[in-house]
Amino acid sequence: MTSVYMDQISWVEYQQRVNDGTVVFLPCGATEQHGPHLPLGTDALLSTAISADVAGRLGGIVAPALAYGYKSQPKCGGGQHFCGTTSLDGGTLTALVQDAVREFARHGVKRLVLVLGHYENQWFVAEGIQLALRELGPSCDLRVMRLEHWDFCQETTLTDIFPDGFPGFALEHAAVIETSLMLHYHPNLVSLERIPNDPPADFPPYDIYPSRTEWVPPSGVLSSAKGSDAEKGRRLASDIVGGIASAVATEFGLES
Ligand code: ZN
Ligand code: MN
């Protein structure tokens, strides 16, 4: 196998591997602020790196990531008021996913996994998959799995990493999980010395439009990233990659 990355192999090799029944992984990220210490591409970088590890275990292929996502929301991504955050309307993301799924079906792909790294994407991605399958009709034998990678973190790992209590995945934006995973996969893109001292965000149980930007810490980090390290990242990655590989193997009848 020359590469797990679709954009690094020829169409001829891609076709061969699709004909052999390979699983294709489509990472779905965002271009979104992740505080002063992480890059704007964090969500796509992590979903791509995780997809590549899983694909390496299962003989799969990783398609180029969808690098733009649905609009950043104040309570889980900081919101749309940050410079650099570059988002799609929900209908655009849905159409993008629908087009991509239809193309993979045309290639003959039978097993497709959408690996989401951006919280706000989930129902627009689900809609794109469902519209594509409806359009392809009941004779199409493409099967699609959709997942958010953080859901594979094990309870014991979260308890060890957050001895004072886990703040929840929504507030984990640019915090310990994403920062530790970036230290594991892309340490040269993390500026640990720039982790801010903001207290965790405290949101009311409702939203207001236009957004109350004053609810969001000015750094864009929703709970502290202090305590992030590469070892935590390695443990989280091991949970996530192992969990996704076994779910894909089970659902799609492969050996992992
Ligand atoms: Zn993120
Ligand atoms: Mn995000």
Side-chain angles (χ1 to χ4, degrees):
M1 188 184 300
T2 54
S3 174
V4 296
Y5 292 109
M6 179 182 175
D7 55 2
Q8 295 180 24
I9 60 178
S10 71
W11 79 269
V12 179
E13 184 183 348
Y14 172 76
Q15 181 178 55
Q16 180 64 53
R17 285 165 60 184
V18 168
N19 290 345
D20 291 344
T22 191
V23 181
V24 173
F25 294 84
L26 175 59
C28 302
T31 299
E32 179 187 42
Q33 71 78 21
H34 274 73
H37 63 295
L38 292 178
L40 288 156
T42 294
D43 290 350
L45 288 166
L46 288 180
S47 47
T48 299
I50 288 163
S51 295
D53 274 356
V54 179
R57 288 202 195 181
L58 300 176
I61 291 176
V62 182
L66 304 185
Y68 298 96
Y70 179 62
K71 297 181 189 79
S72 184
Q73 300 296 304
K75 290 164 156 184
C76 49
Q80 282 295 121
H81 57 293
F82 288 90
C83 189
T85 294
T86 310
S87 306
L88 303 175
D89 286 350
T92 311
L93 177 58
T94 296
L96 190 57
V97 170
Q98 183 177 358
D99 286 358
V101 172
R102 191 200 306 110
E103 286 291 78
F104 291 119
R106 180 178 64 78
H107 304 161
V109 173
K110 303 276 186 273
R111 302 152 168 147
L112 177 64
V113 183
L114 282 78
V115 178
L116 277 66
H118 177 60
Y119 202 86
E120 291 86 331
N121 280 348
Q122 64 177 296
W123 302 124
F124 299 102
V125 168
E127 177 73 347
I129 295 167
Q130 293 172 104
L131 293 182
L133 292 182
R134 187 166 75 189
E135 181 186 353
L136 290 161
S139 63
C140 174
D141 50 4
L142 170 66
R143 294 292 172 266
V144 185
M145 179 185 278
R146 182 193 61 79
L147 58 90
E148 279 77 42
H149 65 69
W150 48 83
D151 285 333
F152 291 83
C153 296
Q154 290 177 18
E155 208 64 49
T156 48
T157 305
L158 294 176
T159 309
D160 289 349
I161 292 179
F162 300 97
D164 301 328
F166 177 50
F169 290 115
L171 282 191
E172 261 300 306
H173 180 76
V176 172
I177 291 180
E178 284 188 314
T179 304
S180 297
L181 283 169
M182 284 295 285
L183 285 166
H184 172 67
Y185 282 119
H186 292 290
N188 55 326
L189 299 181
V190 183
S191 306
L192 276 181
E193 69 287 354
R194 293 196 168 179
I195 289 179
N197 279 315
D198 293 339
D202 181 21
F203 295 113
Y206 53 82
D207 292 312
I208 298 281
Y209 306 90
S211 292
R212 291 278 164 77
T213 56
E214 65 274 20
W215 290 354
V216 180
S219 67
V221 180
L222 301 185
S223 63
S224 183
K226 299 230 183 263
S228 302
D229 63 49
E231 172 54 23
K232 289 175 183 157
R234 188 199 59 75
R235 237 186 112 175
L236 290 161
S238 154
D239 283 5
I240 293 168
V241 170
I244 296 175
S246 94
V248 171
T250 303
E251 289 297 335
F252 292 161
L254 308 169
E255 297 199 2
S256 69

